[in-house]
Amino acid sequence: MAETLVVTGTTKKEKYESLLPQIKALVQGEPDLIANISNIIAALKYGMNFFWVGMYFVKTSRPDPSPLNRARVPELVLGPFQGPVACNRISYGAGVCGTSWKEQKTIIVEDVEKFPGHIACSSETKSEIVIPCFKNGEVYSVLDVDSEKLSEFDEVDQKYLEEIVKIIESF
Ligand code: SME
C-alpha cells in the first residue's frame, strides 16, 4: 500500500484522474469495508482538498422513548469521515443526504441555503454533493462531500465520485 498520495494536475479532472488509480491501489487486497472506506475518505479529503468528506449508512433507528410509539424506521447514521464533527443521524428524505437516499440519485447543491431542509452540520459549508451507494438495488449508504465555497461541485465531480462509489459498492 502506498504511504503517501501524490495528486498531480491543475484541473479537477486531472486531479481525479491522478487520484483514482491511487485509490484503487489503496484498497487492493483489503476486504474490510470500514478500513477501505476510511482510506478512500482520507484520500478524497487530502487529495482533493475538500472541506468535509464522509459516509452515512442506512441503519435501523433507535427505539422511540414513547411507549406509544415502538416503530423503528431506517435512518442514516454517520460513518467514517474527515473534517469537522457532523450530525449523527439523518431521517429518510431529510436534508441533502436523506433526499439523495429517497430519490436514489446524486444531488448537487450549488448553494446550501437555497436547498429546502438542508441540514447545516457546519455553518462553513456552502455547497455539497451527495452520491448514493447501492447494494441489491437498494441504497445502503451515501457519500457526502461538502465545500466552504459556493458552486464547488459539477458533472466532473459527479462522474469521478460515482466511479469511486462503484469501488465502494464492490466491497
Ligand atoms: N448537509 C447534509 C448533512 C450532513 S453534513 O453536511 C456532514 C444534509 O443536508 O443532508
Side-chain angles (χ1 to χ4, degrees):
M1 188 189 95
E3 282 184 22
T4 49
L5 296 170
V6 181
V7 176
T8 55
T10 45
T11 66
K12 206 152 57 171
K13 183 177 184 300
E14 287 166 348
K15 287 182 187 168
Y16 278 117
E17 288 283 353
S18 118
L19 187 59
L20 205 55
Q22 297 182 74
I23 284 183
K24 287 179 182 162
L26 208 51
V27 299
Q28 181 73 41
E30 174 52 68
D32 190 86
L33 178 73
I34 298 297
N36 284 337
I37 287 174
S38 301
N39 260 333
I40 288 175
I41 285 167
L44 280 171
K45 163 82 177 148
Y46 292 99
M48 299 302 292
N49 201 23
F50 289 135
F51 176 67
W52 193 93
V53 188
M55 293 194 75
Y56 282 88
F57 290 88
V58 176
K59 295 189 179 176
T60 306
S61 66
R62 293 167 292 188
D64 191 300
S66 161
L68 299 174
N69 183 9
R70 291 283 180 214
R72 295 182 74 173
V73 291
E75 62 186 1
L76 290 170
V77 182
L78 184 62
F81 72 96
Q82 295 267 338
V85 293
C87 340
N88 284 328
R89 290 167 190 268
I90 298 174
S91 303
Y92 184 70
V96 189
C97 292
T99 304
S100 170
W101 174 18
K102 186 176 178 183
E103 295 186 1
Q104 307 200 342
K105 62 174 197 194
T106 296
I107 297 186
I108 296 174
V109 179
E110 294 193 3
D111 180 352
V112 295
E113 290 194 8
K114 294 193 180 136
F115 188 92
H118 169 256
I119 300 163
C121 292
S122 164
S123 58
E124 287 183 63
T125 296
K126 299 280 188 295
S127 58
E128 183 163 350
I129 182 169
V130 179
I131 303 96
C133 305
F134 293 88
K135 189 152 268 173
N136 303 324
E138 282 193 28
V139 176
Y140 72 97
S141 178
V142 297
L143 172 67
D144 181 14
V145 186
D146 294 359
S147 170
E148 69 282 54
K149 287 178 248 153
L150 285 168
S151 305
E152 173 73 11
F153 304 107
D154 55 23
E155 65 286 350
V156 174
D157 300 279
Q158 177 167 359
K159 173 184 179 324
Y160 287 100
L161 292 173
E162 285 180 354
E163 267 191 57
I164 290 166
V165 158
K166 291 233 158 27
I167 297 172
I168 293 171
E169 287 171 346
S170 73
F171 299 144

